[in-house]
CSV table of all heavy atoms in Angstrom, one decimal:
chain,number,residue,atom,x,y,z
A,1,MET,N,4.0,-13.6,1.2
A,1,MET,CA,3.3,-12.4,0.7
A,1,MET,C,2.8,-11.6,2.0
A,1,MET,O,2.5,-12.3,3.0
A,1,MET,CB,2.2,-12.8,-0.2
A,1,MET,CG,0.8,-12.3,0.2
A,1,MET,SD,-0.5,-12.7,-0.9
A,1,MET,CE,-1.6,-13.3,0.2
A,2,LYS,N,2.8,-10.3,1.9
A,2,LYS,CA,2.3,-9.5,3.0
A,2,LYS,C,0.9,-9.1,2.5
A,2,LYS,O,0.8,-8.5,1.5
A,2,LYS,CB,3.2,-8.3,3.2
A,2,LYS,CG,2.7,-7.6,4.5
A,2,LYS,CD,3.7,-6.6,5.0
A,2,LYS,CE,4.7,-7.4,5.7
A,2,LYS,NZ,5.5,-6.7,6.6
A,3,ALA,N,-0.1,-9.4,3.3
A,3,ALA,CA,-1.5,-9.0,3.0
A,3,ALA,C,-1.9,-7.8,3.8
A,3,ALA,O,-1.4,-7.5,4.9
A,3,ALA,CB,-2.4,-10.2,3.3
A,4,TYR,N,-2.8,-7.0,3.2
A,4,TYR,CA,-3.2,-5.7,3.8
A,4,TYR,C,-4.7,-5.7,3.7
A,4,TYR,O,-5.3,-6.0,2.7
A,4,TYR,CB,-2.6,-4.5,3.0
A,4,TYR,CG,-3.2,-3.2,3.3
A,4,TYR,CD1,-2.6,-2.4,4.3
A,4,TYR,CD2,-4.3,-2.7,2.6
A,4,TYR,CE1,-3.1,-1.1,4.6
A,4,TYR,CE2,-4.9,-1.5,3.0
A,4,TYR,CZ,-4.3,-0.7,3.9
A,4,TYR,OH,-4.8,0.5,4.2
A,5,ARG,N,-5.4,-5.2,4.8
A,5,ARG,CA,-6.8,-5.0,4.8
A,5,ARG,C,-7.1,-3.7,5.5
A,5,ARG,O,-6.4,-3.3,6.4
A,5,ARG,CB,-7.5,-6.1,5.6
A,5,ARG,CG,-7.4,-7.5,5.0
A,5,ARG,CD,-8.0,-8.5,6.0
A,5,ARG,NE,-9.4,-8.3,6.2
A,5,ARG,CZ,-10.1,-8.9,7.2
A,5,ARG,NH1,-9.5,-9.6,8.1
A,5,ARG,NH2,-11.4,-8.7,7.4
A,6,LEU,N,-8.2,-3.1,5.1
A,6,LEU,CA,-8.7,-1.9,5.8
A,6,LEU,C,-10.0,-2.2,6.4
A,6,LEU,O,-11.0,-2.4,5.6
A,6,LEU,CB,-8.8,-0.7,4.9
A,6,LEU,CG,-9.2,0.6,5.5
A,6,LEU,CD1,-8.2,1.1,6.6
A,6,LEU,CD2,-9.5,1.7,4.5
A,7,LEU,N,-10.1,-2.3,7.7
A,7,LEU,CA,-11.3,-2.7,8.3
A,7,LEU,C,-12.1,-1.4,8.6
A,7,LEU,O,-11.5,-0.4,9.1
A,7,LEU,CB,-11.0,-3.4,9.7
A,7,LEU,CG,-10.1,-4.6,9.6
A,7,LEU,CD1,-9.8,-5.1,11.0
A,7,LEU,CD2,-10.8,-5.7,8.7
A,8,THR,N,-13.4,-1.4,8.3
A,8,THR,CA,-14.2,-0.2,8.5
A,8,THR,C,-15.6,-0.6,9.1
A,8,THR,O,-16.0,-1.8,8.9
A,8,THR,CB,-14.5,0.6,7.2
A,8,THR,OG1,-15.2,-0.3,6.3
A,8,THR,CG2,-13.2,1.0,6.6
A,9,GLU,N,-16.2,0.3,9.9
A,9,GLU,CA,-17.4,0.0,10.5
A,9,GLU,C,-17.9,1.3,11.2
A,9,GLU,O,-17.2,2.2,11.4
A,9,GLU,CB,-17.2,-1.1,11.6
A,9,GLU,CG,-18.5,-1.6,12.3
A,9,GLU,CD,-19.4,-2.4,11.3
A,9,GLU,OE1,-18.9,-3.4,10.7
A,9,GLU,OE2,-20.6,-2.1,11.3
A,10,GLU,N,-19.2,1.3,11.4
A,10,GLU,CA,-19.8,2.4,12.2
A,10,GLU,C,-19.1,2.4,13.6
A,10,GLU,O,-18.6,1.4,14.0
A,10,GLU,CB,-21.3,2.3,12.4
A,10,GLU,CG,-22.0,2.5,11.1
A,10,GLU,CD,-23.6,2.4,11.3
A,10,GLU,OE1,-24.0,2.3,12.4
A,10,GLU,OE2,-24.2,2.4,10.3
A,11,ASP,N,-19.1,3.5,14.2
A,11,ASP,CA,-18.5,3.7,15.6
A,11,ASP,C,-19.4,3.0,16.6
A,11,ASP,O,-20.1,3.7,17.4
A,11,ASP,CB,-18.3,5.2,15.9
A,11,ASP,CG,-17.6,5.4,17.2
A,11,ASP,OD1,-16.9,4.4,17.7
A,11,ASP,OD2,-17.8,6.4,17.8
A,12,THR,N,-19.3,1.7,16.7
A,12,THR,CA,-20.0,0.9,17.7
A,12,THR,C,-19.1,-0.2,18.1
A,12,THR,O,-18.0,-0.3,17.6
A,12,THR,CB,-21.3,0.2,17.1
A,12,THR,OG1,-20.9,-0.7,16.1
A,12,THR,CG2,-22.2,1.2,16.4
A,13,SER,N,-19.5,-1.0,19.0
A,13,SER,CA,-18.7,-2.1,19.5
A,13,SER,C,-18.4,-3.1,18.4
A,13,SER,O,-17.4,-3.8,18.4
A,13,SER,CB,-19.3,-2.8,20.7
A,13,SER,OG,-20.6,-3.4,20.3
A,14,ALA,N,-19.2,-3.1,17.3
A,14,ALA,CA,-19.0,-4.0,16.2
A,14,ALA,C,-17.6,-3.7,15.6
A,14,ALA,O,-16.9,-4.6,15.1
A,14,ALA,CB,-20.1,-3.8,15.1
A,15,PHE,N,-17.2,-2.4,15.5
A,15,PHE,CA,-15.9,-2.1,15.0
A,15,PHE,C,-14.8,-2.8,15.8
A,15,PHE,O,-13.8,-3.4,15.3
A,15,PHE,CB,-15.6,-0.6,14.9
A,15,PHE,CG,-14.3,-0.2,14.4
A,15,PHE,CD1,-13.9,-0.4,13.1
A,15,PHE,CD2,-13.4,0.3,15.3
A,15,PHE,CE1,-12.6,-0.1,12.7
A,15,PHE,CE2,-12.1,0.6,14.9
A,15,PHE,CZ,-11.7,0.4,13.6
A,16,CYS,N,-14.9,-2.6,17.2
A,16,CYS,CA,-13.9,-3.2,18.1
A,16,CYS,C,-13.8,-4.7,17.9
A,16,CYS,O,-12.8,-5.3,17.9
A,16,CYS,CB,-14.2,-2.8,19.5
A,16,CYS,SG,-14.0,-1.0,19.8
A,17,HIS,N,-15.0,-5.3,17.8
A,17,HIS,CA,-15.0,-6.8,17.6
A,17,HIS,C,-14.4,-7.2,16.3
A,17,HIS,O,-13.7,-8.2,16.2
A,17,HIS,CB,-16.5,-7.3,17.7
A,17,HIS,CG,-17.0,-7.3,19.1
A,17,HIS,ND1,-16.7,-8.2,20.0
A,17,HIS,CD2,-17.9,-6.4,19.7
A,17,HIS,CE1,-17.3,-8.0,21.2
A,17,HIS,NE2,-18.0,-6.9,21.0
A,18,LYS,N,-14.6,-6.4,15.2
A,18,LYS,CA,-14.0,-6.7,13.9
A,18,LYS,C,-12.5,-6.7,14.0
A,18,LYS,O,-11.8,-7.6,13.5
A,18,LYS,CB,-14.5,-5.7,12.9
A,18,LYS,CG,-14.1,-6.1,11.5
A,18,LYS,CD,-14.6,-5.0,10.5
A,18,LYS,CE,-16.0,-5.3,10.1
A,18,LYS,NZ,-16.4,-4.5,8.9
A,19,VAL,N,-11.9,-5.6,14.7
A,19,VAL,CA,-10.5,-5.5,14.8
A,19,VAL,C,-10.0,-6.6,15.7
A,19,VAL,O,-8.9,-7.2,15.4
A,19,VAL,CB,-10.1,-4.1,15.3
A,19,VAL,CG1,-8.6,-4.0,15.6
A,19,VAL,CG2,-10.5,-3.0,14.3
A,20,THR,N,-10.6,-6.9,16.8
A,20,THR,CA,-10.2,-7.9,17.8
A,20,THR,C,-10.2,-9.3,17.1
A,20,THR,O,-9.3,-10.1,17.3
A,20,THR,CB,-11.1,-7.9,19.0
A,20,THR,OG1,-11.0,-6.7,19.6
A,20,THR,CG2,-10.7,-9.0,20.0
A,21,GLU,N,-11.2,-9.6,16.3
A,21,GLU,CA,-11.2,-10.8,15.5
A,21,GLU,C,-10.0,-11.0,14.6
A,21,GLU,O,-9.4,-12.0,14.5
A,21,GLU,CB,-12.5,-11.0,14.7
A,21,GLU,CG,-12.6,-12.3,14.0
A,21,GLU,CD,-13.8,-12.4,13.1
A,21,GLU,OE1,-14.5,-11.4,12.8
A,21,GLU,OE2,-14.1,-13.6,12.8
A,22,ALA,N,-9.7,-9.9,13.9
A,22,ALA,CA,-8.6,-9.9,13.0
A,22,ALA,C,-7.3,-10.1,13.8
A,22,ALA,O,-6.4,-10.9,13.3
A,22,ALA,CB,-8.5,-8.6,12.2
A,23,LEU,N,-7.1,-9.5,14.9
A,23,LEU,CA,-5.9,-9.7,15.7
A,23,LEU,C,-5.8,-11.1,16.2
A,23,LEU,O,-4.7,-11.7,16.2
A,23,LEU,CB,-5.9,-8.7,16.9
A,23,LEU,CG,-5.8,-7.2,16.5
A,23,LEU,CD1,-6.0,-6.3,17.8
A,23,LEU,CD2,-4.5,-6.9,15.8
A,24,SER,N,-6.9,-11.7,16.6
A,24,SER,CA,-6.9,-13.1,17.1
A,24,SER,C,-6.6,-14.1,16.0
A,24,SER,O,-6.2,-15.2,16.2
A,24,SER,CB,-8.3,-13.4,17.7
A,24,SER,OG,-9.3,-13.6,16.7
A,25,LYS,N,-6.7,-13.6,14.7
A,25,LYS,CA,-6.4,-14.5,13.6
A,25,LYS,C,-5.0,-14.2,13.0
A,25,LYS,O,-4.6,-14.6,11.9
A,25,LYS,CB,-7.4,-14.3,12.4
A,25,LYS,CG,-8.8,-14.9,12.8
A,25,LYS,CD,-9.7,-14.8,11.7
A,25,LYS,CE,-11.1,-15.4,12.1
A,25,LYS,NZ,-12.0,-15.3,11.0
A,26,GLY,N,-4.2,-13.4,13.8
A,26,GLY,CA,-2.8,-13.2,13.4
A,26,GLY,C,-2.5,-11.9,12.6
A,26,GLY,O,-1.4,-11.6,12.3
A,27,TRP,N,-3.5,-11.1,12.4
A,27,TRP,CA,-3.3,-9.8,11.7
A,27,TRP,C,-2.7,-8.9,12.7
A,27,TRP,O,-2.9,-9.0,13.9
A,27,TRP,CB,-4.6,-9.2,11.2
A,27,TRP,CG,-5.2,-10.0,10.0
A,27,TRP,CD1,-6.0,-11.1,10.1
A,27,TRP,CD2,-5.0,-9.8,8.7
A,27,TRP,NE1,-6.3,-11.6,8.9
A,27,TRP,CE2,-5.7,-10.8,8.0
A,27,TRP,CE3,-4.3,-8.8,7.9
A,27,TRP,CZ2,-5.8,-10.8,6.6
A,27,TRP,CZ3,-4.4,-8.8,6.6
A,27,TRP,CH2,-5.1,-9.8,5.9
A,28,GLU,N,-1.9,-7.9,12.2
A,28,GLU,CA,-1.3,-6.9,13.1
A,28,GLU,C,-1.8,-5.5,12.7
A,28,GLU,O,-2.0,-5.2,11.5
A,28,GLU,CB,0.2,-7.0,13.0
A,28,GLU,CG,0.8,-8.3,13.4
A,28,GLU,CD,2.3,-8.4,13.2
A,28,GLU,OE1,3.0,-7.3,13.2
A,28,GLU,OE2,2.8,-9.5,13.0
A,29,LEU,N,-1.9,-4.6,13.7
A,29,LEU,CA,-2.3,-3.3,13.4
A,29,LEU,C,-1.2,-2.6,12.5
A,29,LEU,O,0.0,-2.8,12.7
A,29,LEU,CB,-2.4,-2.5,14.7
A,29,LEU,CG,-3.5,-3.0,15.7
A,29,LEU,CD1,-3.4,-2.1,17.0
A,29,LEU,CD2,-4.8,-3.0,15.1
A,30,TYR,N,-1.7,-1.8,11.6
A,30,TYR,CA,-0.8,-1.1,10.7
A,30,TYR,C,-1.2,0.4,10.7
A,30,TYR,O,-2.2,0.8,10.2
A,30,TYR,CB,-0.9,-1.6,9.3
A,30,TYR,CG,0.1,-1.0,8.3
A,30,TYR,CD1,1.4,-1.3,8.4
A,30,TYR,CD2,-0.3,-0.1,7.4
A,30,TYR,CE1,2.3,-0.8,7.5
A,30,TYR,CE2,0.5,0.5,6.5
A,30,TYR,CZ,1.9,0.1,6.5
A,30,TYR,OH,2.7,0.7,5.6
A,31,GLY,N,-0.4,1.2,11.4
A,31,GLY,CA,-0.8,2.6,11.6
A,31,GLY,C,-1.8,2.9,12.6
A,31,GLY,O,-2.3,2.0,13.3
A,32,SER,N,-2.3,4.1,12.7
A,32,SER,CA,-3.3,4.5,13.6
A,32,SER,C,-4.7,4.4,13.1
A,32,SER,O,-4.9,4.5,11.9
A,32,SER,CB,-3.1,6.0,14.0
A,32,SER,OG,-1.8,6.2,14.6
A,33,PRO,N,-5.7,4.2,13.9
A,33,PRO,CA,-7.1,4.2,13.5
A,33,PRO,C,-7.5,5.6,13.0
A,33,PRO,O,-6.9,6.6,13.4
A,33,PRO,CB,-7.9,3.8,14.7
A,33,PRO,CG,-7.0,4.2,15.9
A,33,PRO,CD,-5.6,4.1,15.4
A,34,SER,N,-8.5,5.6,12.1
A,34,SER,CA,-9.1,6.8,11.6
A,34,SER,C,-10.6,6.9,12.1
A,34,SER,O,-11.2,5.9,12.3
A,34,SER,CB,-9.1,6.9,10.1
A,34,SER,OG,-7.7,6.9,9.7
A,35,TYR,N,-11.1,8.1,12.2
A,35,TYR,CA,-12.4,8.3,12.7
A,35,TYR,C,-13.0,9.5,11.8
A,35,TYR,O,-12.4,10.5,11.8
A,35,TYR,CB,-12.3,8.7,14.1
A,35,TYR,CG,-13.5,8.7,15.0
A,35,TYR,CD1,-14.3,7.6,15.2
A,35,TYR,CD2,-13.9,9.9,15.6
A,35,TYR,CE1,-15.4,7.6,16.0
A,35,TYR,CE2,-15.0,10.0,16.4
A,35,TYR,CZ,-15.8,8.8,16.6
A,35,TYR,OH,-16.9,8.9,17.4
A,36,ALA,N,-14.1,9.3,11.2
A,36,ALA,CA,-14.7,10.3,10.4
A,36,ALA,C,-16.2,10.3,10.4
A,36,ALA,O,-16.8,9.3,10.6
A,36,ALA,CB,-14.2,10.2,8.9
A,37,PHE,N,-16.8,11.5,10.1
A,37,PHE,CA,-18.2,11.6,10.0
A,37,PHE,C,-18.7,11.2,8.6
A,37,PHE,O,-18.2,11.7,7.6
A,37,PHE,CB,-18.7,13.0,10.4
A,37,PHE,CG,-20.2,13.2,10.3
A,37,PHE,CD1,-21.0,12.6,11.3
A,37,PHE,CD2,-20.7,14.0,9.3
A,37,PHE,CE1,-22.3,12.8,11.2
A,37,PHE,CE2,-22.1,14.2,9.3
A,37,PHE,CZ,-22.9,13.6,10.2
A,38,ASP,N,-19.7,10.3,8.5
A,38,ASP,CA,-20.2,9.9,7.2
A,38,ASP,C,-21.5,10.7,7.0
A,38,ASP,O,-22.6,10.4,7.6
A,38,ASP,CB,-20.5,8.4,7.2
A,38,ASP,CG,-21.1,7.9,5.9
A,38,ASP,OD1,-21.5,8.7,5.1
A,38,ASP,OD2,-21.1,6.7,5.7
A,39,ALA,N,-21.5,11.8,6.2
A,39,ALA,CA,-22.6,12.7,6.0
A,39,ALA,C,-23.8,11.9,5.4
A,39,ALA,O,-24.9,12.3,5.7
A,39,ALA,CB,-22.2,13.9,5.2
A,40,SER,N,-23.5,10.9,4.6
A,40,SER,CA,-24.7,10.2,3.9
A,40,SER,C,-25.5,9.4,4.9
A,40,SER,O,-26.7,9.2,4.7
A,40,SER,CB,-24.1,9.3,2.8
A,40,SER,OG,-23.4,8.3,3.4
A,41,THR,N,-24.9,9.0,6.0
A,41,THR,CA,-25.7,8.2,7.0
A,41,THR,C,-25.9,9.0,8.3
A,41,THR,O,-26.7,8.6,9.2
A,41,THR,CB,-25.0,6.9,7.4
A,41,THR,OG1,-23.7,7.2,8.0
A,41,THR,CG2,-24.8,6.0,6.2
A,42,GLY,N,-25.1,10.1,8.5
A,42,GLY,CA,-25.2,10.9,9.7
A,42,GLY,C,-24.5,10.2,10.9
A,42,GLY,O,-24.9,10.5,12.1
A,43,LYS,N,-23.6,9.3,10.6
A,43,LYS,CA,-23.0,8.5,11.7
A,43,LYS,C,-21.5,8.6,11.6
A,43,LYS,O,-20.9,8.8,10.5
A,43,LYS,CB,-23.4,7.0,11.6
A,43,LYS,CG,-24.9,6.9,11.9
A,43,LYS,CD,-25.3,5.4,11.8
A,43,LYS,CE,-26.8,5.3,12.0
A,43,LYS,NZ,-27.3,4.0,12.0
A,44,MET,N,-20.8,8.4,12.7
A,44,MET,CA,-19.3,8.3,12.7
A,44,MET,C,-18.9,6.9,12.3
A,44,MET,O,-19.6,5.9,12.5
A,44,MET,CB,-18.8,8.6,14.1
A,44,MET,CG,-19.1,10.0,14.6
A,44,MET,SD,-18.4,11.3,13.6
A,44,MET,CE,-16.6,11.2,13.8
A,45,ARG,N,-17.8,6.9,11.5
A,45,ARG,CA,-17.2,5.6,11.1
A,45,ARG,C,-15.8,5.5,11.5
A,45,ARG,O,-15.1,6.5,11.6
A,45,ARG,CB,-17.3,5.5,9.6
A,45,ARG,CG,-18.8,5.4,9.1
A,45,ARG,CD,-18.9,4.9,7.7
A,45,ARG,NE,-18.3,3.6,7.4
A,45,ARG,CZ,-18.9,2.4,7.6
A,45,ARG,NH1,-20.1,2.4,8.1
A,45,ARG,NH2,-18.3,1.3,7.3
A,46,CYS,N,-15.3,4.3,11.7
A,46,CYS,CA,-13.9,4.0,12.1
A,46,CYS,C,-13.3,3.2,11.1
A,46,CYS,O,-13.9,2.5,10.3
A,46,CYS,CB,-13.9,3.3,13.5
A,46,CYS,SG,-14.7,4.1,14.8
A,47,ALA,N,-11.9,3.3,11.0
A,47,ALA,CA,-11.2,2.5,10.1
A,47,ALA,C,-9.8,2.2,10.7
A,47,ALA,O,-9.3,3.0,11.5
A,47,ALA,CB,-10.9,3.2,8.8
A,48,GLN,N,-9.4,0.9,10.5
A,48,GLN,CA,-8.1,0.5,11.0
A,48,GLN,C,-7.4,-0.4,9.9
A,48,GLN,O,-8.0,-1.4,9.5
A,48,GLN,CB,-8.2,-0.3,12.3
A,48,GLN,CG,-6.9,-0.9,12.8
A,48,GLN,CD,-5.9,0.2,13.2
A,48,GLN,OE1,-6.1,1.0,14.0
A,48,GLN,NE2,-4.7,0.1,12.5
A,49,ALA,N,-6.2,-0.1,9.5
A,49,ALA,CA,-5.5,-0.9,8.6
A,49,ALA,C,-4.8,-2.1,9.4
A,49,ALA,O,-4.3,-1.8,10.5
A,49,ALA,CB,-4.4,-0.1,7.9
A,50,VAL,N,-4.8,-3.3,8.8
A,50,VAL,CA,-4.1,-4.4,9.4
A,50,VAL,C,-3.3,-5.1,8.3
A,50,VAL,O,-3.6,-5.0,7.1
A,50,VAL,CB,-5.1,-5.4,10.1
A,50,VAL,CG1,-5.7,-4.8,11.3
A,50,VAL,CG2,-6.1,-5.9,9.1
A,51,ILE,N,-2.2,-5.8,8.7
A,51,ILE,CA,-1.4,-6.5,7.8
A,51,ILE,C,-1.1,-7.9,8.4
A,51,ILE,O,-1.2,-8.1,9.6
A,51,ILE,CB,0.0,-5.8,7.5
A,51,ILE,CG1,0.8,-5.5,8.8
A,51,ILE,CG2,-0.3,-4.5,6.7
A,51,ILE,CD1,2.2,-5.0,8.6
A,52,LYS,N,-0.7,-8.8,7.5
A,52,LYS,CA,-0.4,-10.2,7.9
A,52,LYS,C,0.5,-10.8,6.9
A,52,LYS,O,0.3,-10.7,5.7
A,52,LYS,CB,-1.7,-11.0,8.0
A,52,LYS,CG,-1.5,-12.4,8.5
A,52,LYS,CD,-2.9,-13.1,8.6
A,52,LYS,CE,-2.8,-14.5,9.2
A,52,LYS,NZ,-4.1,-15.1,9.3
A,53,GLU,N,1.5,-11.5,7.4
A,53,GLU,CA,2.4,-12.3,6.5
A,53,GLU,C,1.7,-13.6,6.2
A,53,GLU,O,1.2,-14.3,7.1
A,53,GLU,CB,3.7,-12.6,7.2
A,53,GLU,CG,4.8,-13.1,6.3
A,53,GLU,CD,5.2,-12.0,5.2
A,53,GLU,OE1,5.3,-10.8,5.5
A,53,GLU,OE2,5.4,-12.5,4.1
A,54,ALA,N,1.5,-13.9,4.9
A,54,ALA,CA,0.8,-15.1,4.5
A,54,ALA,C,1.6,-15.9,3.5
A,54,ALA,O,2.4,-15.4,2.8
A,54,ALA,CB,-0.5,-14.8,3.9
A,55,ASP,N,1.4,-17.2,3.5
A,55,ASP,CA,2.1,-18.1,2.6
A,55,ASP,C,1.6,-17.9,1.2
A,55,ASP,O,0.4,-17.5,1.0
A,55,ASP,CB,1.8,-19.6,2.9
A,55,ASP,CG,2.5,-20.0,4.3
A,55,ASP,OD1,3.5,-19.3,4.6
A,55,ASP,OD2,2.0,-20.9,4.9
A,56,GLY,N,2.4,-18.2,0.2
A,56,GLY,CA,2.0,-18.2,-1.2
A,56,GLY,C,2.2,-16.8,-1.9
A,56,GLY,O,2.8,-15.9,-1.3
A,57,GLU,N,1.8,-16.8,-3.1
A,57,GLU,CA,2.0,-15.6,-3.9
A,57,GLU,C,0.7,-14.8,-4.0
A,57,GLU,O,-0.4,-15.4,-3.8
A,57,GLU,CB,2.3,-16.0,-5.4
A,57,GLU,CG,3.7,-16.7,-5.5
A,57,GLU,CD,4.8,-15.7,-5.2
A,57,GLU,OE1,4.8,-14.6,-5.6
A,57,GLU,OE2,5.8,-16.2,-4.5
A,58,TYR,N,0.8,-13.5,-4.2
A,58,TYR,CA,-0.4,-12.7,-4.3
A,58,TYR,C,-1.3,-13.2,-5.5
A,58,TYR,O,-0.9,-13.5,-6.6
A,58,TYR,CB,-0.1,-11.2,-4.6
A,58,TYR,CG,-1.3,-10.4,-4.9
A,58,TYR,CD1,-2.2,-10.1,-3.9
A,58,TYR,CD2,-1.5,-9.9,-6.1
A,58,TYR,CE1,-3.3,-9.3,-4.1
A,58,TYR,CE2,-2.6,-9.1,-6.4
A,58,TYR,CZ,-3.5,-8.8,-5.4
A,58,TYR,OH,-4.6,-8.1,-5.7
A,59,ASP,N,-2.6,-13.2,-5.2
A,59,ASP,CA,-3.6,-13.5,-6.2
A,59,ASP,C,-4.8,-12.6,-5.9
A,59,ASP,O,-5.4,-12.6,-4.8
A,59,ASP,CB,-4.1,-15.0,-6.0
A,59,ASP,CG,-5.1,-15.4,-7.0
A,59,ASP,OD1,-5.7,-14.6,-7.7
A,59,ASP,OD2,-5.5,-16.6,-7.0
A,60,PRO,N,-5.3,-11.8,-6.9
A,60,PRO,CA,-6.4,-10.9,-6.6
A,60,PRO,C,-7.7,-11.6,-6.3
A,60,PRO,O,-8.6,-10.9,-5.8
A,60,PRO,CB,-6.5,-10.1,-7.9
A,60,PRO,CG,-5.8,-10.9,-9.0
A,60,PRO,CD,-4.7,-11.7,-8.2
A,61,GLU,N,-7.7,-12.9,-6.5
A,61,GLU,CA,-9.0,-13.6,-6.2
A,61,GLU,C,-9.0,-14.1,-4.7
A,61,GLU,O,-10.0,-14.6,-4.2
A,61,GLU,CB,-9.1,-14.8,-7.1
A,61,GLU,CG,-9.2,-14.5,-8.6
A,61,GLU,CD,-10.4,-13.7,-8.9
A,61,GLU,OE1,-11.5,-13.9,-8.4
A,61,GLU,OE2,-10.3,-12.7,-9.7
A,62,VAL,N,-7.9,-13.9,-4.0
A,62,VAL,CA,-7.8,-14.4,-2.6
A,62,VAL,C,-8.8,-13.6,-1.7
A,62,VAL,O,-8.9,-12.4,-1.9
A,62,VAL,CB,-6.4,-14.4,-2.1
A,62,VAL,CG1,-5.9,-13.0,-1.8
A,62,VAL,CG2,-6.3,-15.2,-0.8
A,63,LYS,N,-9.5,-14.3,-0.8
A,63,LYS,CA,-10.3,-13.6,0.2
A,63,LYS,C,-9.5,-13.3,1.4
A,63,LYS,O,-9.1,-14.2,2.1
A,63,LYS,CB,-11.5,-14.6,0.6
A,63,LYS,CG,-12.4,-15.0,-0.6
A,63,LYS,CD,-13.1,-13.8,-1.1
A,63,LYS,CE,-14.1,-14.3,-2.2
A,63,LYS,NZ,-14.6,-13.2,-3.0
A,64,LEU,N,-9.1,-12.0,1.5
A,64,LEU,CA,-8.2,-11.6,2.5
A,64,LEU,C,-8.7,-11.9,3.9
A,64,LEU,O,-7.9,-12.3,4.8
A,64,LEU,CB,-7.9,-10.1,2.4
A,64,LEU,CG,-7.2,-9.7,1.1
A,64,LEU,CD1,-7.2,-8.1,1.0
A,64,LEU,CD2,-5.9,-10.3,1.0
A,65,GLY,N,-10.0,-11.9,4.2
A,65,GLY,CA,-10.5,-12.2,5.5
A,65,GLY,C,-10.3,-13.6,5.9
A,65,GLY,O,-10.4,-14.0,7.0
A,66,GLY,N,-10.1,-14.5,4.9
A,66,GLY,CA,-9.9,-15.9,5.1
A,66,GLY,C,-8.5,-16.3,5.4
A,66,GLY,O,-8.2,-17.4,5.7
A,67,LEU,N,-7.5,-15.3,5.3
A,67,LEU,CA,-6.1,-15.6,5.6
A,67,LEU,C,-5.9,-15.8,7.0
A,67,LEU,O,-6.5,-15.3,7.9
A,67,LEU,CB,-5.2,-14.5,5.0
A,67,LEU,CG,-5.2,-14.4,3.5
A,67,LEU,CD1,-4.3,-13.2,3.1
A,67,LEU,CD2,-4.7,-15.6,2.9
């Protein structure tokens, strides 16, 4: 199965650490990162899609971060 996640975070080093952790666990970047202003918080937010080939069949109960 191919798994997909969209990682999001405020524009701080926490976002880079989140993406780096995913890459260290075998996830691969999918597309370009996005950057947008969140008017409700007044802060910039980042997003990056990642994908990973995983064993087994898709199950909506699977915790993608644990793959």
Side-chain angles (χ1 to χ4, degrees):
M1 127 177 127
K2 186 166 285 204
Y4 170 92
R5 294 173 64 197
L6 181 65
L7 306 175
T8 63
E9 185 68 52
E10 288 182 10
D11 182 23
T12 66
S13 63
F15 175 72
C16 295
H17 285 284
K18 186 182 278 190
V19 174
T20 300
E21 179 183 21
L23 294 174
S24 74
K25 292 181 176 181
W27 292 84
E28 298 178 27
L29 299 178
Y30 184 76
S32 299
S34 296
Y35 192 63
F37 181 71
D38 182 347
S40 66
T41 63
K43 297 180 180 179
M44 295 300 291
R45 293 195 59 87
C46 300
Q48 174 65 58
V50 293
I51 58 173
K52 182 178 186 180
E53 194 64 42
D55 293 332
E57 297 292 319
Y58 172 71
D59 178 352
E61 299 298 318
V62 70
K63 301 293 184 195
L64 296 173
L67 293 177

